[in-house]
Amino acid sequence: MLTLNKILGVPCRLAKWQIHGFLKSFTFHPEKQLLHKLVLGIETSCDDTAAAVVDETGNILGEAIHSQTKVHLKTGGIIPSVAQQLHRENIEKIVKETLSASGITPNELSAIATTVKPGLALSLGVGLEYSTQLVNQYKKPFIPIHHMEAHALTIRITNKIDFPFLVLLVSGGHCLLAIVQGVSDFLLLGKSLDIAPGDMLDKVARRLSLIKHPAYSTMSGGKAIEHLAKQGNRLHFDFRHPLHFCRNCDFSFSGLQTAVDRMITQKEKEEGIEKGEILSCAADIAAAVQHTVASHIAKRTHRAILFCQQKGVLTPSNAVLVVSGGVASNLYIRKTLEIVTKATNCILLCPPLKLCTDNGIMIAWNGIEKLCAGLGILHNTEGIRYEPKCPLGVDISKQVQEAAIKVPSLKI
């Protein structure tokens, strides 16, 4: 009792009922007392304005997101200046909604984490500008976030996996394979040499004029292709697999896109329709394109797994492949990768679908990871800049090329 009295700074001779009454005059919030780290994450790297508050256990206290998909569908693609304006109009509202949902005030935050690389310059700028204002106003540490690093670590919110593990990041802006050795420690095995698979699928969807189809008019291009492909026969068209004879882990999708464009033009002439009208064989083309993309990704991933096993990075006890990013939500591609992981005795892990696409949760969690590891925490934002283009980790793709691993054929 003496210890309690000393802590509370009250007279030692209070009766028990008086002490009980004194304690009842305080409003305790056990859930806040137990949380040592709380990070607000802000994401504006492309066309989604998102924010979230996450604690060190991975508990999502609050989140909000504003999608620009419908706006950009009407213009046939993302116009950076339009994306920038929409971010400006929505970022304050999204952050306020997030904080309100979490029940956390800015003063209770441990840090603010924000995507600063890579992404659309105009979009990144909005997030960085707003975040630095918050940081300076509330005197909080700032944690700059690498967008792809955040995607790679998202899995650790839902699955307690240790380092190292292999990650495949596939999205509208990126496609790469990397070994994740630590929170900010990546070894790059291969990347797209031209465009990303998500971008390529979006362009095919536009070329097929799927926005004019009532069933797909509100879907992103990649999602429309996935749904349409279910009705098609992939065997009706045969597209050449990219980089077929290159024994590395790099990707390429621009050649495939060109081949698809030529095929669509040919079919439009055969069917006697104008460009912009929907082909009768659109579903078959969608199915064939999706299968070719999935097979290409699967083969490069297969080689990456074999390389990691050869180097002792993935041992039988920790052979994990993590697939994340927007295109990771494509279930056909996931099933294709399951065939690869089963053949190589690996475990395939994917974040929940809502965490595959861009979101504030992954940014906040990356902030938590960095906070716990004591990495990349800034107490002064002066001189911080966004980087539209930025590599991930240390590039060891030449080692993969030199290993010249032949990938056995799998029935996909």
Side-chain angles (χ1 to χ4, degrees):
M1 186 64 70
L2 181 61
T3 302
L4 179 62
N5 287 334
K6 284 183 177 180
I7 292 172
L8 296 176
V10 295
C12 295
R13 294 184 179 180
L14 279 176
K16 287 184 179 180
W17 68 268
Q18 290 175 304
I19 294 173
H20 179 68
F22 184 80
L23 290 174
K24 284 184 71 176
S25 69
F26 286 90
T27 302
F28 288 99
H29 298 283
E31 70 279 3
K32 290 186 181 180
Q33 297 296 321
L34 294 173
L35 302 178
H36 303 293
K37 294 180 177 64
L38 291 167
V39 172
L40 167 66
I42 297 175
E43 156 65 12
T44 63
S45 68
C46 191
D47 61 338
D48 285 326
T49 311
V53 174
V54 175
D55 69 30
E56 63 188 29
T57 67
N59 186 31
I60 302 162
L61 280 72
E63 61 170 315
I65 187 168
H66 175 268
S67 174
Q68 302 177 7
T69 300
K70 291 182 180 180
V71 173
H72 298 304
L73 277 175
K74 294 177 181 178
T75 58
I78 298 172
I79 299 174
S81 58
V82 173
Q84 178 191 46
Q85 183 59 35
L86 290 172
H87 282 308
R88 283 176 173 164
E89 291 174 3
N90 290 284
I91 189 167
E92 184 170 8
K93 180 184 71 173
I94 290 299
V95 170
K96 284 184 176 179
E97 284 181 10
T98 297
L99 292 171
S100 176
S102 68
I104 299 297
T105 67
N107 287 320
E108 293 175 286
L109 294 170
S110 305
I112 295 172
T114 303
T115 307
V116 300
K117 58 187 177 183
L120 296 177
L122 296 180
S123 294
L124 290 169
V126 176
L128 180 56
E129 181 182 4
Y130 184 82
S131 298
T132 51
Q133 288 175 0
L134 278 182
V135 166
N136 294 331
Q137 180 180 351
Y138 294 100
K139 310 300 180 187
K140 295 296 176 181
F142 180 66
I143 305 176
I145 300 295
H146 190 301
H147 185 77
M148 303 313 291
E149 185 177 310
H151 270 307
L153 297 179
T154 301
I155 193 67
R156 282 164 54 89
I157 300 176
T158 55
N159 299 74
K160 301 305 177 185
I161 63 171
D162 297 323
F163 303 114
F165 59 86
L166 178 65
V167 67
L168 166 67
L169 300 180
V170 277
S171 69
H174 303 274
C175 187
L176 59 86
L177 282 157
I179 299 168
V180 187
Q181 298 189 122
V183 173
S184 293
D185 188 0
F186 291 75
L187 296 176
L188 184 67
L189 302 180
K191 64 182 185 302
S192 177
L193 301 176
D194 36 62
I195 62 175
D199 182 30
M200 182 260 175
L201 291 172
D202 285 346
K203 288 176 178 175
V204 172
R206 286 198 294 272
R207 185 65 184 85
L208 287 171
S209 303
L210 297 189
I211 194 171
K212 295 182 179 180
H213 194 298
Y216 312 114
S217 61
T218 60
M219 294 181 184
S220 65
K223 185 60 65 177
I225 290 289
E226 181 181 3
H227 280 261
L228 181 61
K230 294 175 184 178
Q231 304 171 30
N233 185 341
R234 65 176 179 81
L235 298 176
H236 284 178
F237 293 95
D238 185 19
F239 296 112
R240 185 178 178 182
H241 286 220
L243 304 178
H244 183 67
F245 297 104
C246 299
R247 293 187 179 181
N248 56 35
C249 286
D250 289 329
F251 304 85
S252 175
F253 299 95
S254 62
L256 175 59
Q257 183 195 324
T258 300
V260 175
D261 284 346
R262 283 199 301 263
M263 181 61 72
I264 293 173
T265 299
Q266 178 185 325
K267 289 299 174 182
E268 285 172 341
K269 290 179 180 178
E270 291 178 8
E271 294 190 14
I273 65 173
E274 296 293 326
K275 183 177 179 180
E277 296 181 49
I278 299 176
L279 289 167
S280 63
C281 59
D284 294 336
I285 293 176
V289 170
Q290 178 177 253
H291 179 75
T292 306
V293 169
S295 298
H296 179 46
I297 291 173
K299 187 168 185 177
R300 315 320 270 187
T301 304
H302 194 169
R303 180 173 285 109
I305 292 172
L306 295 177
F307 175 82
C308 290
Q309 291 175 337
Q310 187 182 95
K311 297 295 182 181
V313 176
L314 296 183
T315 62
S317 61
N318 79 327
V320 175
L321 169 67
V322 172
V323 184
S324 190
V327 178
S329 62
N330 184 299
L331 298 182
Y332 187 89
I333 291 175
R334 282 198 189 192
K335 288 177 182 178
T336 305
L337 290 166
E338 283 177 8
I339 296 171
V340 173
T341 52
K342 285 180 181 178
T344 52
N345 297 313
C346 281
I347 297 172
L348 174 64
L349 295 177
C350 300
L353 293 180
K354 66 173 286 187
L355 295 184
C356 283
T357 53
D358 294 348
N359 60 86
I361 296 167
M362 70 179 193
I363 306 305
W365 175 250
N366 198 179
I368 287 287
E369 292 261 31
K370 284 178 174 286
L371 204 58
C372 292
L375 298 170
I377 305 164
L378 304 180
H379 296 279
N380 186 344
T381 59
E382 187 176 348
I384 187 72
R385 298 286 184 271
Y386 56 81
E387 300 176 55
K389 293 184 179 180
C390 182
L392 177 69
V394 178
D395 190 340
I396 63 166
S397 56
K398 285 186 178 179
Q399 292 183 32
V400 180
Q401 179 84 40
E402 290 167 358
I405 298 171
K406 183 179 181 180
V407 175
S409 296
L410 295 177
K411 186 178 181 182
I412 294 176

